[in-house]
Short mmCIF file of all heavy atoms in Angstrom, two decimals:
data_model
loop_
_atom_site.label_atom_id
_atom_site.label_comp_id
_atom_site.label_asym_id
_atom_site.label_seq_id
_atom_site.Cartn_x
_atom_site.Cartn_y
_atom_site.Cartn_z
N MET A 1 119.33 33.80 113.01
CA MET A 1 120.00 34.35 114.19
C MET A 1 121.52 34.22 114.11
O MET A 1 122.24 35.14 114.54
CB MET A 1 119.51 33.63 115.46
CG MET A 1 118.02 33.72 115.71
SD MET A 1 117.49 35.39 116.16
CE MET A 1 115.71 35.19 116.02
N ILE A 2 122.03 33.12 113.58
CA ILE A 2 123.46 32.86 113.58
C ILE A 2 124.09 33.08 112.20
O ILE A 2 125.16 33.67 112.08
CB ILE A 2 123.77 31.42 114.05
CG1 ILE A 2 123.23 31.19 115.47
CG2 ILE A 2 125.26 31.14 114.01
CD1 ILE A 2 123.39 29.76 115.96
N GLN A 3 123.39 32.60 111.16
CA GLN A 3 123.97 32.61 109.82
C GLN A 3 123.58 33.83 108.98
O GLN A 3 124.01 33.96 107.85
CB GLN A 3 123.57 31.31 109.09
CG GLN A 3 124.01 30.06 109.82
CD GLN A 3 123.22 28.82 109.41
OE1 GLN A 3 122.47 28.84 108.43
NE2 GLN A 3 123.38 27.74 110.16
N LYS A 4 122.76 34.70 109.54
CA LYS A 4 122.31 35.92 108.85
C LYS A 4 121.65 35.62 107.49
O LYS A 4 121.87 36.30 106.52
CB LYS A 4 123.46 36.90 108.66
CG LYS A 4 123.97 37.53 109.94
CD LYS A 4 124.75 38.82 109.72
CE LYS A 4 125.95 38.63 108.84
NZ LYS A 4 126.75 39.88 108.75
N LYS A 5 120.82 34.57 107.47
CA LYS A 5 120.09 34.21 106.26
C LYS A 5 118.67 34.75 106.35
O LYS A 5 118.05 34.70 107.41
CB LYS A 5 120.07 32.69 106.06
CG LYS A 5 121.45 32.12 105.77
CD LYS A 5 121.39 30.62 105.55
CE LYS A 5 122.77 30.05 105.24
NZ LYS A 5 122.73 28.57 105.07
N ASN A 6 118.18 35.24 105.23
CA ASN A 6 116.85 35.87 105.19
C ASN A 6 115.78 34.80 105.08
O ASN A 6 115.50 34.29 103.98
CB ASN A 6 116.77 36.84 104.01
CG ASN A 6 115.53 37.71 104.08
OD1 ASN A 6 114.49 37.31 104.58
ND2 ASN A 6 115.64 38.91 103.55
N ILE A 7 115.15 34.45 106.20
CA ILE A 7 114.14 33.39 106.20
C ILE A 7 112.78 33.88 105.69
O ILE A 7 111.80 33.14 105.75
CB ILE A 7 113.99 32.75 107.59
CG1 ILE A 7 113.58 33.80 108.65
CG2 ILE A 7 115.27 32.05 108.00
CD1 ILE A 7 113.21 33.19 109.99
N GLY A 8 112.76 35.11 105.18
CA GLY A 8 111.55 35.59 104.52
C GLY A 8 111.55 35.27 103.03
O GLY A 8 110.62 35.62 102.32
N GLU A 9 112.60 34.58 102.57
CA GLU A 9 112.74 34.24 101.16
C GLU A 9 112.51 32.75 100.94
O GLU A 9 113.03 31.92 101.68
CB GLU A 9 114.13 34.63 100.65
CG GLU A 9 114.41 36.12 100.71
CD GLU A 9 115.81 36.47 100.23
OE1 GLU A 9 116.59 35.55 99.93
OE2 GLU A 9 116.11 37.68 100.15
N VAL A 10 111.76 32.43 99.89
CA VAL A 10 111.44 31.03 99.58
C VAL A 10 112.70 30.22 99.34
O VAL A 10 112.82 29.08 99.81
CB VAL A 10 110.51 30.94 98.35
CG1 VAL A 10 110.27 29.49 97.96
CG2 VAL A 10 109.18 31.63 98.62
N ALA A 11 113.67 30.80 98.63
CA ALA A 11 114.89 30.06 98.28
C ALA A 11 115.63 29.60 99.53
O ALA A 11 116.14 28.48 99.59
CB ALA A 11 115.79 30.94 97.42
N VAL A 12 115.69 30.45 100.53
CA VAL A 12 116.38 30.12 101.77
C VAL A 12 115.66 28.98 102.49
O VAL A 12 116.29 28.03 102.98
CB VAL A 12 116.48 31.35 102.69
CG1 VAL A 12 116.98 30.96 104.08
CG2 VAL A 12 117.38 32.41 102.07
N ILE A 13 114.35 29.04 102.52
CA ILE A 13 113.56 28.00 103.19
C ILE A 13 113.70 26.66 102.48
O ILE A 13 113.80 25.61 103.12
CB ILE A 13 112.09 28.44 103.30
CG1 ILE A 13 111.98 29.55 104.36
CG2 ILE A 13 111.18 27.27 103.65
CD1 ILE A 13 110.62 30.14 104.51
N LEU A 14 113.75 26.68 101.15
CA LEU A 14 113.89 25.43 100.40
C LEU A 14 115.28 24.83 100.58
O LEU A 14 115.44 23.61 100.56
CB LEU A 14 113.59 25.67 98.92
CG LEU A 14 112.13 25.97 98.59
CD1 LEU A 14 111.95 26.18 97.09
CD2 LEU A 14 111.20 24.86 99.09
N ILE A 15 116.29 25.67 100.76
CA ILE A 15 117.63 25.16 101.06
C ILE A 15 117.61 24.43 102.40
O ILE A 15 118.19 23.35 102.55
CB ILE A 15 118.66 26.30 101.08
CG1 ILE A 15 118.92 26.80 99.66
CG2 ILE A 15 119.97 25.85 101.72
CD1 ILE A 15 119.78 28.04 99.58
N ILE A 16 116.94 25.02 103.38
CA ILE A 16 116.81 24.37 104.69
C ILE A 16 116.07 23.04 104.57
O ILE A 16 116.45 22.03 105.17
CB ILE A 16 116.09 25.30 105.68
CG1 ILE A 16 116.97 26.52 106.00
CG2 ILE A 16 115.71 24.56 106.96
CD1 ILE A 16 116.29 27.58 106.83
N ALA A 17 115.02 23.04 103.76
CA ALA A 17 114.26 21.80 103.52
C ALA A 17 115.15 20.74 102.90
O ALA A 17 115.08 19.55 103.25
CB ALA A 17 113.06 22.07 102.63
N GLY A 18 116.03 21.16 102.00
CA GLY A 18 116.97 20.22 101.38
C GLY A 18 117.95 19.64 102.38
O GLY A 18 118.28 18.45 102.32
N GLU A 19 118.40 20.47 103.31
CA GLU A 19 119.30 19.99 104.37
C GLU A 19 118.61 18.95 105.23
O GLU A 19 119.21 17.92 105.59
CB GLU A 19 119.76 21.17 105.23
CG GLU A 19 120.66 22.16 104.50
CD GLU A 19 120.93 23.41 105.32
OE1 GLU A 19 120.36 23.53 106.43
OE2 GLU A 19 121.70 24.27 104.85
N LEU A 20 117.36 19.20 105.56
CA LEU A 20 116.60 18.26 106.38
C LEU A 20 116.32 16.96 105.62
O LEU A 20 116.24 15.89 106.23
CB LEU A 20 115.30 18.90 106.86
CG LEU A 20 115.47 20.04 107.87
CD1 LEU A 20 114.13 20.67 108.21
CD2 LEU A 20 116.14 19.53 109.15
N GLU A 21 116.18 17.07 104.31
CA GLU A 21 115.97 15.86 103.50
C GLU A 21 117.23 15.00 103.52
O GLU A 21 117.15 13.77 103.66
CB GLU A 21 115.61 16.23 102.07
CG GLU A 21 115.30 15.02 101.20
CD GLU A 21 114.77 15.41 99.83
OE1 GLU A 21 115.46 16.20 99.14
OE2 GLU A 21 113.68 14.94 99.46
N LYS A 22 118.39 15.63 103.43
CA LYS A 22 119.66 14.89 103.47
C LYS A 22 119.83 14.19 104.82
O LYS A 22 120.48 13.14 104.90
CB LYS A 22 120.83 15.84 103.23
CG LYS A 22 120.94 16.32 101.79
CD LYS A 22 122.10 17.29 101.62
CE LYS A 22 122.18 17.81 100.20
NZ LYS A 22 123.29 18.81 100.03
N GLU A 23 119.26 14.79 105.86
CA GLU A 23 119.35 14.19 107.19
C GLU A 23 118.27 13.14 107.41
O GLU A 23 118.19 12.54 108.50
CB GLU A 23 119.23 15.29 108.25
CG GLU A 23 120.39 16.28 108.23
CD GLU A 23 120.15 17.49 109.12
OE1 GLU A 23 119.20 17.45 109.95
OE2 GLU A 23 120.90 18.48 108.99
N GLY A 24 117.44 12.90 106.40
CA GLY A 24 116.39 11.89 106.50
C GLY A 24 115.21 12.30 107.35
O GLY A 24 114.44 11.46 107.81
N ILE A 25 115.04 13.61 107.54
CA ILE A 25 113.98 14.11 108.42
C ILE A 25 112.75 14.56 107.64
O ILE A 25 111.62 14.47 108.13
CB ILE A 25 114.52 15.29 109.27
CG1 ILE A 25 115.60 14.78 110.23
CG2 ILE A 25 113.40 15.97 110.05
CD1 ILE A 25 116.31 15.88 110.99
N LEU A 26 112.97 15.02 106.40
CA LEU A 26 111.91 15.68 105.65
C LEU A 26 111.96 15.27 104.18
O LEU A 26 113.04 15.03 103.64
CB LEU A 26 112.11 17.20 105.77
CG LEU A 26 111.06 18.14 105.21
CD1 LEU A 26 109.90 18.27 106.19
CD2 LEU A 26 111.65 19.53 104.96
N LYS A 27 110.81 15.20 103.54
CA LYS A 27 110.74 15.01 102.10
C LYS A 27 110.53 16.39 101.46
O LYS A 27 109.47 16.99 101.61
CB LYS A 27 109.61 14.07 101.73
CG LYS A 27 109.84 12.63 102.20
CD LYS A 27 108.69 11.72 101.78
CE LYS A 27 108.95 10.29 102.25
NZ LYS A 27 107.82 9.38 101.90
N LYS A 28 111.56 16.87 100.78
CA LYS A 28 111.54 18.24 100.27
C LYS A 28 110.42 18.46 99.25
O LYS A 28 109.77 19.50 99.25
CB LYS A 28 112.89 18.58 99.64
CG LYS A 28 112.97 20.02 99.14
CD LYS A 28 114.33 20.32 98.52
CE LYS A 28 114.39 21.73 97.95
NZ LYS A 28 115.71 22.02 97.34
N GLY A 29 110.19 17.48 98.38
CA GLY A 29 109.15 17.63 97.36
C GLY A 29 107.78 17.83 97.96
O GLY A 29 107.03 18.74 97.56
N LYS A 30 107.44 17.01 98.92
CA LYS A 30 106.14 17.14 99.60
C LYS A 30 106.07 18.46 100.35
O LYS A 30 105.05 19.15 100.33
CB LYS A 30 105.93 15.98 100.56
CG LYS A 30 104.67 16.14 101.43
CD LYS A 30 104.40 14.91 102.26
CE LYS A 30 103.34 15.18 103.32
NZ LYS A 30 102.13 15.83 102.80
N PHE A 31 107.18 18.81 101.01
CA PHE A 31 107.22 20.07 101.76
C PHE A 31 106.94 21.26 100.82
O PHE A 31 106.15 22.14 101.16
CB PHE A 31 108.60 20.23 102.41
CG PHE A 31 108.83 21.58 103.02
CD1 PHE A 31 108.36 21.87 104.31
CD2 PHE A 31 109.50 22.58 102.32
CE1 PHE A 31 108.57 23.13 104.87
CE2 PHE A 31 109.71 23.83 102.87
CZ PHE A 31 109.24 24.11 104.15
N LYS A 32 107.58 21.26 99.67
CA LYS A 32 107.41 22.37 98.72
C LYS A 32 105.96 22.45 98.24
O LYS A 32 105.39 23.53 98.11
CB LYS A 32 108.36 22.18 97.53
CG LYS A 32 108.36 23.34 96.56
CD LYS A 32 109.40 23.12 95.46
CE LYS A 32 109.40 24.28 94.48
NZ LYS A 32 110.41 24.07 93.39
N ASP A 33 105.35 21.28 97.98
CA ASP A 33 103.95 21.25 97.54
C ASP A 33 103.02 21.76 98.64
O ASP A 33 102.04 22.46 98.37
CB ASP A 33 103.55 19.83 97.14
CG ASP A 33 104.23 19.37 95.86
OD1 ASP A 33 104.71 20.24 95.10
OD2 ASP A 33 104.31 18.15 95.63
N ASP A 34 103.33 21.39 99.88
CA ASP A 34 102.47 21.76 101.00
C ASP A 34 102.60 23.23 101.40
O ASP A 34 101.65 23.82 101.93
CB ASP A 34 102.79 20.90 102.22
CG ASP A 34 102.33 19.46 102.07
OD1 ASP A 34 101.41 19.22 101.25
OD2 ASP A 34 102.89 18.58 102.76
#
């Protein structure tokens, strides 16, 4: 909505997962597997 990023792409979603991992909210590796 704000950043005009295509959330239909895996790469974009994994970048978001990485941001959440840096914030200590998510484990990116497990997220990617799941």
Side-chain angles (χ1 to χ4, degrees):
M1 302 290 168
I2 300 175
Q3 302 159 12
K4 291 200 301 185
K5 293 181 180 178
N6 191 329
I7 60 171
E9 297 179 356
V10 175
V12 170
I13 287 176
L14 291 181
I15 288 173
I16 292 173
E19 293 172 356
L20 291 176
E21 184 172 54
K22 288 179 182 177
E23 295 170 14
I25 294 173
L26 187 81
K27 293 181 179 178
K28 182 180 177 181
K30 173 174 168 50
F31 171 84
K32 186 176 180 181
D33 291 341
D34 289 337

